[in-house]
Amino acid sequence: MRVAFRTFVTALLFLGLVLPIGPAQADMPDAANWPRPRFITYNICGAAKQCPPVDRKAFQAAMVSAIDHWDADLVFLQEVCYGQWTLLRDHLNTRTDGPRYDSVWGATRTSSGCLEWGSDQRFGLATFAKGTFEEGTRTVVPLPEDESDGAIENRILLCGRVPVTGRPVRACNTHIAPETGQGGPQVDKVAEVTRSYAAEGDPVVLGGDFNLAPTDSILNALYDHNGGKGVFQEVDENDTAFFGPTCDQSADRCRSGEPTAVPTCATDLETPVKIDYIFLSYYWFTNVRGDAAACADTVSDHRLLRGAAAWEH
């Protein structure tokens, strides 16, 4: 799925400074008072052919504004062209008008759609951190794929160890295939790797586009509640406005959350659904908060998900 940035007004949409298209959000983000650390995950779909051409300056301005407004400690981006990553990397790593961000990148495939961002057609994942990734900790784990269920896209789990508000964290980023039959084995592999990091004592933050609804049994491998056997909570799991029939309103947590893919943004959708997630180690984090930013039908087909939490230990 695709996010295209054509004018600087997109940045204002991210910040909530212009009227958004779509229903009001129940859990309005509070950049001043929500807990820290802070997180963002966003599928920016840099190579999608069905979306309008991207303006490099507007794209950079919108992304930097969103990151700075939320004062994000970790930013997980999916469907990133190499040229998009280097554009943001070179700015965020050298600027003097805001905190600097280090980053790690992992290529999954090549795409001719990335040519608008430069001659390098590589396409993949990028994670930005307000800190420096520890040398030698970047890992790229291939996820299982079955060609009979769709084209092989070399899906991966990209991780690195980096300080977040002074504490070392394993920051992991992924994009799960939407094809039937692919998601289960891929999520199981993601759960296996991230669970091993948690067992080593590291707090783990896992962001990404999972192409699955919160109640899907495939995500049992990640969630630690409501049928889950994993080690994670999710930033938007306590917003009762989106519990629906899944959980009682008196519940503390629910496998739910504000939709991140909605018909207003993605015209091929009929029903709003949450498919983007920021998972946090349940042992290490508490007081989670989440919110999906607004989008416009001519600008975005994903909603940026921002999250926050406090340290538990």
Side-chain angles (χ1 to χ4, degrees):
M1 297 181 74
R2 164 86 179 205
V3 175
F5 303 84
R6 295 189 297 169
T7 65
F8 186 71
V9 73
T10 312
L12 301 181
L13 281 167
F14 284 177
L15 306 185
L17 300 178
V18 298
L19 183 66
I21 295 175
Q25 299 160 16
D27 193 2
M28 293 300 293
D30 187 340
N33 297 310
W34 272 17
R36 296 177 188 277
R38 305 281 181 82
F39 317 99
I40 284 174
T41 190
Y42 206 4
N43 181 328
I44 62 173
C45 200
K49 295 180 180 179
Q50 74 270 20
C51 297
V54 172
D55 178 273
R56 295 170 65 88
K57 290 184 179 179
F59 167 78
Q60 177 179 302
M63 288 302 304
V64 171
S65 294
I67 291 169
D68 286 348
H69 173 73
W70 195 235
D71 195 20
D73 295 285
L74 290 172
V75 180
F76 304 96
L77 302 180
Q78 302 85 41
E79 296 198 23
V80 187
C81 289
Y82 181 82
Q84 288 178 293
W85 171 55
T86 57
L87 180 68
L88 293 175
R89 178 200 67 187
D90 294 348
H91 174 75
L92 290 170
N93 192 241
T94 60
R95 65 178 180 171
T96 57
D97 59 346
R100 295 184 179 183
Y101 286 77
D102 193 16
S103 64
V104 290
W105 152 267
T108 60
R109 52 177 291 192
T110 60
S111 172
S112 60
C114 286
L115 286 173
E116 65 178 295
W117 296 99
S119 59
D120 194 319
Q121 298 183 47
R122 283 180 293 171
F123 180 71
L125 307 173
T127 303
F128 290 83
K130 195 194 295 177
T132 302
F133 282 92
E134 295 181 13
E135 187 175 354
T137 64
R138 174 187 172 274
T139 59
V140 176
V141 177
L143 302 182
E145 292 185 88
D146 182 350
E147 194 169 3
S148 65
D149 285 323
I152 297 296
E153 297 190 4
N154 300 318
R155 304 269 177 172
I156 62 172
L157 174 69
L158 172 68
C159 297
R161 197 168 191 254
V162 65
V164 172
T165 63
R167 302 188 185 198
V169 165
R170 292 282 179 172
C172 295
N173 188 355
T174 197
H175 185 190
I176 301 301
E179 292 83 10
T180 302
Q182 302 273 41
Q186 291 181 5
V187 170
D188 286 347
K189 186 62 177 181
V190 168
E192 174 191 332
V193 174
T194 52
R195 190 184 299 116
S196 70
Y197 289 141
E200 292 171 4
D202 277 348
V204 181
V205 181
L206 169 63
D209 175 357
F210 285 77
N211 280 307
L212 295 163
T215 54
D216 196 303
S217 62
I218 291 174
L219 293 180
N220 288 353
L222 297 176
Y223 276 104
D224 78 325
H225 61 95
N226 286 290
K229 301 177 180 178
V231 299
F232 291 108
Q233 58 194 311
E234 205 276 329
V235 294
D236 206 17
E237 66 180 27
N238 55 13
D239 189 346
T240 58
F242 298 97
F243 280 12
T246 304
C247 300
D248 189 85
Q249 287 288 300
S250 62
D252 293 328
R253 300 194 287 160
C254 185
R255 284 172 59 167
S256 60
E258 189 171 3
T260 59
V262 297
T264 354
C265 311
T267 55
D268 58 332
L269 288 178
E270 295 182 0
T271 305
V273 61
K274 176 180 174 63
I275 59 174
D276 301 277
Y277 297 82
I278 301 170
F279 288 106
L280 307 174
S281 300
Y282 183 72
Y283 176 80
W284 285 102
F285 295 97
T286 188
N287 195 23
V288 296
R289 295 288 184 271
D291 173 77
C295 64
D297 56 0
T298 58
V299 177
S300 171
D301 71 355
H302 262 257
R303 301 172 79 183
L304 177 150
L305 176 64
R306 46 199 165 193
W311 288 105
E312 173 80 357
H313 297 287

